[in-house]
Amino acid sequence: MNEFHVKHFYNVNKNPNFDYFELFSSICKINNITVFYLLIPKSDYYFENLEKTGNDLLWELIITELRSRKIFIWDFQHKLKDKSDNNIFTDETHLSYKGAKIFTTLLKKELIKNKK
């Protein structure tokens, strides 16, 4: 089993630093670049393991901080349930070809729905 629920939080402090995020965001704003931040689908197993390590609280802190900013976030983390169909993910965080096709369709629909 892969341990992305641990690897993704390597070197993340309990009080995350958003300095580089702010720098990137400000450069995009100055240059009139619209950024879409996507929280991609992850498996149920990822979230179960995240909770076991206590990183679920840190992740929620990060998400809360991001949502407090004036940025465009699409949250697809829980959009694909995998326990009923184990062919959607290849591991905790990576979509299979089938999962990628499903997500691409979902993303395309959201883009069309939110088109300016």
Side-chain angles (χ1 to χ4, degrees), residues 11 13-14 19 25-27 44 77 84-85 92 105-106 108 112:
N11 276 341
N13 297 323
K14 295 297 179 196
D19 291 347
S25 185
S26 67
I27 291 170
D44 291 334
Q77 294 182 98
S84 60
D85 183 352
E92 290 180 306
T105 301
L106 178 63
K108 183 178 178 182
I112 291 169

Side-chain angles (χ1 to χ4, degrees), residues 54-93:
N55 284 332
D56 60 325
L57 301 174
L58 182 55
W59 182 237
E60 284 305 315
L61 174 69
I62 292 168
I63 298 299
T64 300
E65 181 64 32
L66 290 174
R67 287 187 175 136
S68 73
R69 298 163 190 274
K70 293 180 181 180
I71 60 173
F72 190 78
I73 300 176
W74 272 349
D75 188 350
F76 293 97
Q77 294 182 98
H78 299 282
K79 294 291 185 184
L80 301 181
K81 293 297 178 187
D82 64 311
K83 284 190 174 178
S84 60
D85 183 352
N86 61 3
N87 295 320
I88 293 178
F89 290 90
T90 59
D91 58 34
E92 290 180 306
T93 58

